[in-house]
Amino acid sequence: MLRAALPLLWLPLAGAGTTEEPTREPGSPGEPPPGLALFRWQWHEVEAPYLVALWILVASLAKIVFHLSRKVTSLVPESCLLILLGLVLGGIVLAVAKKAEYQLEPGTFFLFLLPPIVLDSGYFMPSRLFFDNLGAILTYAVVGTLWNTFTTGTALWGLQQAGLVAPRVQAGLLDFLLFGSLISAVDPVAVLAVFEEVHVNETLFIIVFGESLLNDAVTVVLYKVCNSFVEMGSANVQATDYLKGVASLFVVSLGGAAVGLVFAFLLALTTRFTKRVRIIEPLLVFLLAYAAYLTAEMASLSAILAVTVCGLGCKKYVEANISHKSRTAVKYTMKTLASCAETIIFMLLGISAVDSSKWAWDSGLVLGTLFFILFFRALGVVMQTWVLNQFRLVPLDKIDQVVMSYGGLRGAVAFALVILLDRTKVPAKDYFVATTIVVVFFTVIVQVGAPTKLDGERVWQALGEAWRLWERGSSSYWEMQRPDFLDLECSEGLTIKPLVKWLKVKRSEHYKPTLNQELHEHTFDHILAAVEDVVGHHGYHYWRDRWEQFDKKYLSQLLMRRSAYRIRDQIWDVYYRLNIRDAISFVDQVGQQPVGGHVLSSTRLTLPSMPSRNSVAETSVTNLLRESGSGACLDLQVIDTVRSGRDREDAVMHHLLCGGLYKPRRRYKASCSRHFISDDAQERQDKEVFQQNMKRRLESFKSTKHICFTKSKPRPRKASHKKACAFSGTPKDGVANTEATNGKPPRDLGFQDTGKHGVGVGQRMERGGKGQRPITRSLKDLLCMAFTAVILTVESEEEEESDSSETEKEDDEGIIFVARATSEVLQEGKVSEKELPWKSGQGDLAVYVSSETTKIVPVDMQTGWNQSISSLESLASPPCTQAPTMTRLPPCPVAAEEPQAPLNLPSDPRLSFAFPPSLAKAGRSRSESSADIPQRQELQPLMGHGDHTHLSPGTANSHWCIQLNRGSRL
Amino acid sequence: MGSRASTLLRDEELEEIKKETGCEFGQITRLYSRFTSLDKGENGTLREDQVNFRGFMRTLAHFRPIEDNEKSKDVNGPEPLNSRSNKLHFAFRLYDLDKDDKISRDELLQVLRMMVGVNISDEQLGSIADRTIQEADQDGDSAISFTEFVKVLEKVDVEQKMSIRFLH
């Protein structure tokens, strides 16, 4: 294959190579040396790939150089710079080698350079937008291209008949039509290069871009038909040939699309079975897409269409099937390849233009062509838009039309096609080549990139103002809709950019999608589909709805692996993405801000928004989650070690096997215990406190579990009942019970034995958060995987026991403690495994979830936090040892208002008494980062525990109440 | 069909409907024929809901695209049924099952359950609903009021997304 690429990529630098070769070659390989050669120069063996690599390298270096200065690239688009560079390089080669080399060869272009670009654009095409505008796109692509071809061709022919074209140009009507066909197509490469930079609004972009992709089919057909007509000679063309020409239009385009669909299907189906060999997933994508291209090319169908359709069709399923890493790989590889190809194309274009032997100049033809393509493009756009607007819900306004006309860019496709012409059949080929080069350069350099910085800006401004004034009459609506999308940084000097800017073309807005928007837009779709159904008018919405159902029922089931299919839902996806984004931004935020700064945000944080872990467990999403999690916790050594690769593997397997079991505990137990159990445990056991409190802690631990669990549950929904059931939790202590009956708000909660302690302590901890030095660190902890939550709790518990006063160090030590904690958990587990409520599996999951949820939190959700806190309190009533299986409390009508009452209480004076001084001091700050909160909550039981041990039960109880109240006020 | 429809519709009624909904006569007669074909009981209403043709048209009128000439004129007059806020209100009422002008979590959950595939667990749905409400909720009542609803969707091109072209 490389052979094909060779001749044209015969390098410029090889200009040096060529001169040197003769001198060196005789030296070593020329005359076979008698003995073993110590050194051999084998340029010819590596020449081809070497040159290709060098070309790409040169192109990449050029890009780097261009982008060294922002000013340059903001003034002149990259494509222009590349063409200019190509011109320079071509000049050098011409000067050195005395003949033009390394030109853009049609073979290379179509087989190697074009596919990546088209695949990239097809694969990343926003499909919803594309299909929403399919009608317009098709119209412009088919009708527009036909129109351009025939009008341009005929007009040029007329020009020639009028004597304005030099008689040297020997061409008949057919020749001009042929030329018209190749020059009329809008080129995806050029359009992409320009419009992506300009950021016009998405509808405009998708229309022009979709047109440029789809009109390839028309162009290729027209080109082929005209070419064969020309070769046959106009005299021999018969009526049936015209019919065949029309028929071939359908064959080529539909055939290409069909090939693309078949390969898309194959691709999706293949990726369904790559679970064990993730590594080849990206490769599959590229191979099959390329196969689609080649197959279509082989059958002389529209290859561009085939790849576009393939990319468009397979994306949904492939993305669902392949792993997150593969997705990233596909994305980057595709972008890289496309960018490389684009760069090379533009460079080669420049080089090709230098070779004067290939082209012949005729001013009349060149100027005429330039004028006609601009004129007829504009005319065609206006007429088609007029027709389309009769049917479009949102009409394309005049400004859009201007940009569309102006954005009709010609590019490398036209050039490659014109080079393909056969000189013997088309005598005027040289003139056509020259004209094409000029047109391409004009559209790329002048239309897109001429520096109009001088005073062009003012001109454009005036023009734009005038235009807008004129516009205002007819479409004031759009004026209203188009307020300040334009960021008026006037750095660009391209004609199209100022044009876009000064005409105030609606540009793409970048706002964060919200869950609400997504959800409600979905609703709108459903509503519209329903209305169409009611009205009996089966329009676009109806059919889209039908398609979605079909897709869901059959196609997705066939093409997606089961695990992916199960959670496949757009709303869920958005939700998930939002959470990831929040998590990332949260980490950034926290990382950047000093502790004081983040105090603010932290109090407001806290919505549990992360998807529960178990639900995602079996899906590829899990991978994503896991990966992003690990990314977030880079600096956390502890967690890193905890989540070793093997652990992850285990986790995956575990998830697959039994999503419903409680994972984190078991896993962590295992890993942690391996490392830490022996010494820590012994050390611990030496301590009497530990011994004494073992049972206590166990209980509190359990209660934590409950807390976590309940917390993890969708809060608000349950919050209501749960509040009610504050009392329902089995009140163990008589004291507590009586207190509860007393009905005094602060005391009410006291009865909620151990579980409450947990909460109370947790809140205390929260308040104490300020004192903790490495808040950010702990935040990140939390942001990382949630798994450690339970363990952390235990660990911190111990921490509290031993050195409750050393809040400052707490965090770091906490990390260390993880290990210890686990070990203890382990022990505890052994001791009382059967009794533990969370042993049922559910509980553990919940813990998992809870930590997760807390970790990823939208920022201003103070209210949410409050709710969750209050709900937590109520929930906290533990079904402890007595009711091990009762994880979810049934709603209980009793005392619904109780939990809320504490919320409103003024701060309790007894507070200070309750806490060890350091804690109390720390407690004042509301500087909770959301991330801290979960941790602290988990810590709570421990702390409470420690306190507990020192205090008599009665005091302990009152204590808890206070803490609770405090926390609720947060 | 069309002729029958127009005979069944009295002229003044037609006129009123046109005024209320902004639909063309042809459109109305077309929809009337559709209405009669839906009206299995032949009693001028659609089944349980007792929707008569007026109501039918009024509902459909929400989905008429906003036309250029309607944007500017008639600022003081009654708001046309297809205005942005009416479109939004229509959508809002879909969520607001108990008609208390608030979308509560349970209501949202029900709608979600209908929209999302069966594969999403209740818990997941719950978390989605939570997040949705938290995103939109401004006054902290754990429910989405209509103002909040509008606010959330202010960036969305509702005029376009809640319109069907043929209802011109």
Side-chain angles (χ1 to χ4, degrees):
Chain A
M1 284 221 175
L2 277 175
R3 279 289 138 192
L6 274 205
L8 94 131
L9 288 179
W10 221 73
L11 178 90
L13 295 190
T18 40
T19 50
E20 282 177 45
E21 271 170 39
T23 60
R24 287 213 187 182
E25 295 218 8
S28 42
E31 300 136 21
L36 184 65
L38 202 58
F39 177 78
R40 293 179 65 199
W41 188 260
Q42 295 178 316
W43 166 249
H44 282 295
E45 292 184 21
V46 298
E47 182 180 351
Y50 204 87
L51 288 182
V52 172
L54 269 181
W55 264 113
I56 297 174
L57 186 65
V58 168
S60 312
L61 288 179
K63 277 197 163 194
I64 295 179
V65 171
F66 294 154
H67 284 278
L68 278 183
S69 156
R70 263 191 70 80
K71 213 173 176 184
V72 174
T73 41
S74 67
L75 279 178
V76 187
E78 204 181 277
S79 46
C80 302
L81 288 174
L82 286 171
I83 287 189
L84 293 179
L85 175 73
L87 282 173
V88 172
L89 283 182
I92 293 173
V93 172
L94 197 64
V96 171
K98 304 295 181 215
K99 59 178 180 135
E101 300 283 2
Y102 330 118
Q103 301 195 347
L104 187 58
E105 299 270 324
T108 326
F109 174 74
F110 283 114
L111 287 184
F112 300 105
L113 295 177
L114 194 52
I117 296 175
V118 180
L119 177 62
D120 174 61
S121 46
Y123 191 77
F124 292 108
M125 174 106 67
S127 52
R128 171 75 196 265
L129 208 56
F130 179 79
F131 286 110
D132 279 355
N133 293 290
L134 190 61
I137 292 172
L138 277 178
T139 314
Y140 287 119
V142 177
V143 180
T145 309
L146 287 174
W147 158 268
N148 284 346
T149 300
F150 286 108
T151 50
T152 311
T154 321
L156 283 176
W157 181 70
L159 207 63
Q160 189 206 32
Q161 297 302 99
L164 291 174
V165 174
R168 296 180 307 237
V169 183
Q170 301 169 326
L173 179 57
L174 270 180
D175 298 277
F176 279 117
L177 283 180
L178 174 61
F179 179 63
S181 74
L182 65 89
I183 204 75
S184 61
V186 176
D187 177 46
V189 181
V191 169
L192 257 189
V194 173
F195 272 60
E196 275 195 343
E197 266 182 68
V198 177
H199 295 301
V200 294
N201 70 70
E202 45 187 24
T203 312
L204 195 54
F205 176 77
I206 202 74
I207 287 179
V208 178
F209 177 51
E211 173 197 354
S212 71
L213 276 179
L214 297 190
N215 69 8
D216 162 75
V218 184
T219 310
V220 170
V221 174
L222 280 176
Y223 176 79
K224 281 181 180 155
V225 170
C226 291
N227 206 11
S228 52
F229 283 177
V230 168
E231 285 175 4
M232 287 160 65
S234 53
N236 305 325
V237 178
Q238 298 178 355
T240 52
D241 292 326
Y242 291 108
L243 283 181
K244 278 186 198 163
V246 174
S248 75
L249 175 64
F250 290 98
V251 171
V252 167
S253 51
L254 295 183
V259 169
L261 276 184
V262 169
F263 275 91
F265 184 83
L266 284 180
L267 178 52
L269 201 60
T270 322
T271 52
R272 194 187 155 171
F273 302 105
T274 52
K275 196 161 74 192
R276 314 255 161 210
V277 272
R278 293 278 190 202
I279 202 79
I280 63 162
E281 281 170 346
L283 191 61
L284 276 177
V285 173
F286 289 105
L287 280 183
L288 279 169
Y290 194 47
Y293 187 91
L294 293 180
T295 310
E297 191 74 43
M298 185 174 70
S300 57
L301 302 171
S302 170
I304 292 187
L305 211 53
V307 170
T308 307
V309 170
C310 181
L312 207 57
C314 74
K315 187 184 182 193
K316 178 179 174 187
Y317 311 105
V318 169
E319 295 270 287
N321 282 337
I322 64 180
S323 74
H324 177 59
K325 277 182 180 160
S326 302
R327 235 175 289 164
T328 314
V330 166
K331 183 176 165 195
Y332 278 95
T333 318
M334 232 177 235
K335 294 283 177 202
T336 309
L337 285 180
S339 159
C340 270
E342 197 183 283
T343 310
I344 292 176
I345 286 174
F346 282 121
M347 254 173 75
L348 290 182
L349 261 184
I351 292 180
S352 307
V354 176
D355 182 11
S356 57
S357 68
K358 285 260 180 71
W359 47 269
W361 182 268
D362 181 83
S363 310
L365 185 66
V366 169
L367 293 178
T369 311
L370 269 184
F371 173 75
F372 286 133
I373 60 166
L374 288 176
F375 176 73
F376 286 118
R377 165 84 185 173
L379 195 61
V381 164
V382 169
M383 294 195 317
Q384 291 171 73
T385 311
W386 184 81
V387 174
L388 279 175
N389 277 347
Q390 306 300 309
F391 301 99
R392 275 181 73 83
L393 186 61
V394 179
L396 296 162
D397 59 13
K398 294 193 179 66
I399 287 174
D400 288 345
Q401 294 175 36
V402 171
V403 175
M404 279 170 63
S405 324
Y406 203 70
L409 303 168
R410 275 66 170 177
V413 174
F415 186 77
L417 285 176
V418 82
I419 293 286
L420 270 180
L421 288 178
D422 183 356
R423 195 192 302 255
T424 57
K425 300 283 168 39
V426 187
K429 178 188 173 186
D430 289 350
Y431 295 98
F432 289 158
V433 171
T435 312
T436 309
I437 289 177
V438 172
V439 167
V440 170
F441 276 36
F442 176 82
T443 54
V444 174
I445 293 182
V446 177
Q447 262 183 323
V448 179
T452 54
K453 189 72 176 175
L454 320 172
D455 58 348
E457 232 161 58
R458 208 165 297 161
V459 175
W460 280 115
Q461 192 170 10
L463 238 167
E465 284 301 335
W467 181 276
R468 279 199 301 281
L469 281 176
W470 177 57
E471 258 272 313
R472 194 158 293 147
S474 58
S475 65
S476 52
Y477 168 70
W478 282 113
E479 280 301 320
M480 276 158 37
Q481 288 303 100
R482 191 187 301 134
D484 331 284
F485 310 140
L486 309 179
D487 45 337
L488 291 173
E489 43 161 80
C490 304
S491 58
E492 307 98 349
L494 327 175
T495 52
I496 201 165
K497 278 191 186 173
L499 183 74
V500 166
K501 184 177 296 170
W502 296 121
L503 290 186
K504 292 217 171 185
V505 174
K506 255 176 97 181
R507 294 171 85 166
S508 58
E509 307 163 66
H510 291 288
Y511 55 84
K512 295 178 183 171
T514 62
L515 192 58
N516 272 283
Q517 281 179 17
E518 184 70 19
L519 182 60
H520 300 321
E521 282 178 21
H522 258 262
T523 318
F524 293 163
D525 286 345
H526 284 280
I527 293 176
L528 290 190
V531 168
E532 283 196 351
D533 205 24
V534 166
V535 174
H537 168 100
H538 291 177
Y540 173 70
H541 298 285
Y542 174 80
W543 289 113
R544 200 190 55 227
D545 200 53
R546 292 295 292 269
W547 164 256
E548 274 173 8
Q549 280 176 22
F550 170 77
D551 176 68
K552 209 169 206 165
K553 254 189 199 152
Y554 306 106
L555 220 48
S556 290
Q557 236 160 7
L558 180 64
L559 295 180
M560 284 184 196
R561 60 184 60 157
R562 200 145 299 158
S563 54
Y565 173 72
R566 284 194 27 207
I567 59 121
R568 187 78 192 162
D569 187 89
Q570 273 172 305
I571 297 177
W572 176 253
D573 279 353
V574 173
Y575 173 69
Y576 182 76
R577 272 205 312 272
L578 283 177
N579 278 333
I580 296 282
R581 198 196 60 206
D582 285 345
I584 292 171
S585 66
F586 179 66
V587 172
D588 289 347
Q589 203 182 345
V590 168
Q592 286 164 5
Q593 288 174 349
V595 174
H598 101 200
V599 165
L600 285 179
S601 66
S602 60
T603 40
R604 302 162 40 195
L605 266 174
T606 347
L607 273 196
S609 46
M610 202 51 197
S612 68
R613 195 107 176 130
N614 57 342
S615 48
V616 208
E618 306 178 22
T619 69
S620 59
V621 175
T622 326
N623 294 331
L624 177 59
L625 193 61
R626 197 167 289 130
E627 278 152 21
S628 62
S630 70
C633 67
L634 272 182
D635 52 338
L636 285 187
Q637 289 200 344
V638 182
I639 290 190
D640 261 355
T641 51
V642 170
R643 299 181 58 243
S644 68
R646 217 197 117 200
D647 277 334
R648 218 178 293 180
E649 281 306 308
D650 287 351
V652 172
M653 290 313 296
H654 194 73
H655 283 228
L656 289 176
L657 291 177
C658 45
L661 291 186
Y662 72 101
K663 306 139 209 183
R665 191 156 172 273
R666 194 177 272 165
R667 226 166 56 218
Y668 286 107
K669 192 163 59 178
S671 70
C672 290
S673 65
R674 233 190 0 249
H675 301 289
F676 301 105
I677 192 168
S678 55
D679 51 345
D680 278 338
Q682 283 165 6
E683 184 186 316
R684 285 276 141 187
Q685 279 164 7
D686 290 343
K687 297 188 181 182
E688 214 186 288
V689 182
F690 176 74
Q691 295 277 1
Q692 284 178 347
N693 296 337
M694 193 58 159
K695 192 153 192 264
R696 275 278 174 196
R697 244 186 302 134
L698 191 60
E699 282 173 5
S700 66
F701 179 66
K702 267 181 274 175
S703 63
T704 345
K705 287 267 179 180
H706 281 291
I707 293 168
C708 293
F709 176 49
T710 45
K711 199 182 146 205
S712 69
K713 292 294 157 198
R715 256 141 260 196
R717 181 183 53 175
K718 305 221 163 152
S720 49
H721 340 129
K722 298 264 158 125
K723 281 176 192 166
C725 53
F727 276 83
S728 70
T730 58
K732 287 200 308 188
D733 324 290
V735 185
N737 236 335
T738 52
E739 275 174 359
T741 45
N742 278 344
K744 286 183 186 175
R747 302 223 137 200
D748 285 345
L749 297 173
F751 80 95
Q752 311 253 12
D753 56 8
T754 46
K756 288 287 176 158
H757 310 336
V759 178
V761 179
Q763 265 122 35
R764 194 180 50 177
M765 279 294 287
E766 283 161 354
R767 270 173 277 130
K770 189 141 197 186
Q772 296 178 350
R773 187 168 41 87
I775 280 185
T776 49
R777 199 146 176 214
S778 65
L779 276 181
K780 285 189 182 166
D781 274 7
L782 289 169
L783 279 168
C784 312
M785 299 320 292
F787 308 129
T788 42
V790 180
I791 291 149
L792 272 176
T793 350
V794 179
E795 132 215 348
S796 49
E797 168 183 359
E798 291 176 4
E799 170 99 321
E800 284 309 312
E801 287 173 6
S802 55
D803 39 23
S804 56
S805 58
E806 301 174 6
T807 3
E808 299 258 312
K809 291 181 183 174
E810 185 183 87
D811 238 297
D812 291 332
E813 289 183 358
I815 287 168
I816 295 168
F817 267 106
V818 169
R820 266 184 272 165
T822 18
S823 63
E824 300 206 355
V825 172
L826 185 65
Q827 288 182 355
E828 287 175 345
K830 282 174 191 164
V831 174
S832 61
E833 213 161 59
K834 280 158 206 154
E835 318 170 16
L836 297 179
W838 63 87
K839 262 300 174 182
S840 60
Q842 268 291 354
D844 241 322
L845 268 187
V847 171
Y848 223 150
V849 174
S850 76
S851 43
E852 190 103 45
T853 46
T854 29
K855 111 186 169 192
I856 295 180
V857 185
V859 179
D860 41 359
M861 308 282 187
Q862 173 151 27
T863 53
W865 169 242
N866 288 340
Q867 290 167 14
S868 61
I869 283 291
S870 57
S871 65
L872 252 186
E873 289 171 3
S874 45
L875 287 178
S877 61
C880 15
T881 40
Q882 283 134 343
T885 49
M886 190 169 116
T887 45
R888 302 186 192 205
L889 298 175
C892 171
V894 189
E897 68 282 354
E898 240 101 354
Q900 282 163 339
L903 278 179
N904 304 327
L905 283 181
S907 61
D908 198 319
R910 282 174 296 177
L911 201 66
S912 55
F913 132 75
F915 301 108
S918 61
L919 276 181
K921 179 180 62 187
R924 220 144 296 149
S925 73
R926 309 208 321 165
S927 68
E928 250 40 85
S929 66
S930 70
D932 283 343
I933 292 171
Q935 188 178 18
R936 302 222 180 97
Q937 283 167 351
E938 279 137 21
L939 297 182
Q940 301 157 8
L942 323 170
M943 298 176 57
H945 200 25
D947 288 330
H948 216 106
T949 56
H950 302 302
L951 299 167
S952 72
T955 41
N957 264 331
S958 58
H959 204 81
W960 306 137
C961 309
I962 295 161
Q963 287 159 358
L964 273 179
N965 303 333
R966 259 299 221 163
S968 57
R969 261 195 308 280
L970 273 184
Chain B
M1 208 66 178
S3 62
R4 183 184 144 230
S6 53
T7 54
L8 286 174
L9 276 177
R10 280 173 292 119
D11 277 351
E12 55 269 33
E13 202 177 348
L14 208 61
E15 198 55 56
E16 272 176 38
I17 292 177
K18 176 172 188 287
K19 201 172 161 201
E20 185 179 26
T21 64
C23 290
E24 303 294 325
F25 285 122
Q27 190 72 48
I28 296 173
T29 47
R30 200 148 58 79
L31 288 173
Y32 189 72
S33 69
R34 172 69 184 170
F35 179 78
T36 46
S37 71
L38 288 175
D39 179 17
K40 295 284 193 301
E42 305 260 325
N43 53 5
T45 57
L46 298 184
R47 283 176 301 145
E48 315 90 25
D49 305 336
Q50 300 295 307
V51 179
N52 61 12
F53 185 59
R54 279 292 279 278
F56 183 71
M57 283 305 295
R58 212 175 291 131
T59 308
L60 288 183
H62 284 99
F63 299 97
R64 210 163 52 82
I66 301 175
E67 280 161 65
D68 287 354
N69 52 14
E70 285 175 330
K71 286 166 207 149
S72 44
K73 72 164 191 188
D74 215 17
V75 185
N76 303 321
E79 208 174 1
L81 281 171
N82 60 350
S83 73
R84 179 187 171 94
S85 78
N86 271 330
K87 283 177 194 292
L88 280 174
H89 212 216
F90 186 91
F92 183 78
R93 274 177 295 165
L94 271 193
Y95 288 102
D96 185 19
L97 302 170
D98 59 3
K99 311 251 186 302
D100 63 348
D101 284 331
K102 271 184 185 151
I103 304 176
S104 70
R105 186 174 186 276
D106 284 333
E107 288 164 346
L108 193 58
L109 263 184
Q110 287 188 45
V111 176
L112 269 174
R113 174 47 79 203
M114 286 185 262
M115 277 205 299
V116 193
V118 284
N119 301 314
I120 307 289
S121 71
D122 280 334
E123 204 171 315
Q124 287 168 318
L125 273 190
S127 51
I128 292 182
D130 285 345
R131 168 145 193 163
T132 310
I133 289 181
Q134 281 151 7
E135 238 179 38
D137 194 13
Q138 287 172 332
D139 53 11
D141 61 352
S142 305
I144 304 177
S145 68
F146 184 60
T147 4
E148 287 162 350
F149 187 74
V150 172
K151 176 93 177 122
V152 161
L153 287 174
E154 68 180 348
K155 292 229 179 82
V156 177
D157 192 359
V158 179
E159 291 91 339
Q160 180 185 348
K161 296 204 163 133
M162 282 285 281
S163 297
I164 297 180
R165 221 211 65 83
F166 75 97
L167 284 172
H168 247 305

